[in-house]
């Protein structure tokens, strides 16, 4: 299954900030048990690459890298086992490196100019970030009108309730967010809480 197909199937992408690589395996189990076997592990902490490697090796979840802003980080992420690479914005160099590695690039775009730049680079599945402060679902709908070939993964400031507004749009494959994997819960080792939040979110979007 391709990454866009996987996103459309699960409809949610947990955006993870891990402070301790030892959380990788229990987190993978919590996500799988909650019914959402996919994760975007952000390069916002020094343990990101190790966490991706450990989650990928543990199995049960498809792991991507997030907050990737340089081609060098793409190399590290792919080496660790990332199947997709998410960026907060559009970088032609990052996209090119993903294409060289054969992994899916999900660059960020919130304007028509950024969407065109991404299409020029051969990418038509885009992260809409930061979604909440960039006009929300109404902005995604407006941007989708001239770009019927583009799919969006809105992320940033979304929660279990507002996710539905985005998911109602045909151009939205999935929404991303950290609400179901709170950094504080991960740091405290509260993986049962993570499983519960994930399960509640999965059930909410299935309604
Ligand atoms: C991201 O990198 O995608 C966002 O930081 C996630 O946004 P959220 O924390 O507001 O869900």
């Amino acid at each position: 299954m391709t990454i866009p197909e996987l996103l459309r199937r699960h409809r949610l992408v947990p955006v993870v900030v891990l402070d301790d690589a030892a959380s990788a395996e229990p987190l993978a189990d919590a996500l799988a048990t909650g019914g959402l076997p996919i994760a975007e592990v952000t390069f916002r902490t020094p343990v990101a690459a190790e966490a991706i490697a450990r989650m990928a090796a543990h199995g049960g979840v498809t792991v991507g890298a997030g907050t990737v802003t340089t081609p060098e980080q793409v190399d590290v992420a792919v080496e660790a086992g990332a199947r997709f690479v998410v960026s907060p914005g559009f970088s032609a160099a990052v996209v090119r490196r993903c294409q060289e590695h054969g992994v899916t690039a999900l660059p960020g775009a919130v304007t028509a100019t950024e969407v065109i730049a991404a299409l020029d680079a051969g990418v038509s599945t885009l992260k809409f970030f930061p979604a909440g402060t960039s006009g929300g679902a109404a902005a995604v709908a407006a941007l989708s009108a001239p770009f019927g070939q583009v799919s969006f993964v809105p992320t940033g400031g979304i929660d279990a309730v507002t996710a539905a507004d985005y998911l109602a749009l045909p151009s939205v494959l999935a929404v991303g967010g950290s609400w179901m994997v709170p950094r504080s819960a991960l740091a405290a080792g509260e993986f049962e809480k993570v499983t519960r939040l994930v399960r509640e979110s999965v059930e909410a979007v299935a309604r």
Side-chain angles (χ1 to χ4, degrees), residues 58-130:
H58 187 65
V61 286
T62 300
V63 190
T67 325
V68 173
T69 57
T70 68
E72 292 73 28
Q73 286 176 322
V74 176
D75 294 340
V76 172
V78 172
E79 170 76 23
R83 298 259 327 275
F84 60 97
V85 169
V86 187
S87 304
F90 174 73
S91 155
V94 166
V95 168
R96 199 175 315 117
R97 193 62 65 88
C98 289
Q99 291 164 338
E100 286 165 7
H101 282 294
V103 299
T104 300
L106 282 168
V110 289
T111 67
T113 302
E114 291 160 358
V115 171
I116 291 170
L119 289 171
D120 274 349
V123 180
S124 59
T125 301
L126 304 174
K127 172 168 174 158
F128 183 84
F129 174 82

Side-chain angles (χ1 to χ4, degrees), residues 10-12 33-36 160 164 167 179-180 195-207:
H10 292 301
R11 311 237 74 194
L12 295 173
T33 305
L36 194 51
L167 291 170
W179 79 84
M180 55 208 128
T195 298
R196 178 173 55 77
L197 289 171
V198 167
R199 186 173 286 132
E200 284 171 3
S201 300
V202 168
E203 288 170 357
V205 302
R207 263 180 230 131

Side-chain angles (χ1 to χ4, degrees), residues 8-35:
R8 192 178 284 285
R9 168 187 281 203
H10 292 301
R11 311 237 74 194
L12 295 173
V13 183
V15 177
V16 176
V17 181
L18 273 188
D19 293 294
D20 181 356
S23 301
E25 292 86 359
L27 171 61
D29 289 338
L31 293 172
T33 305

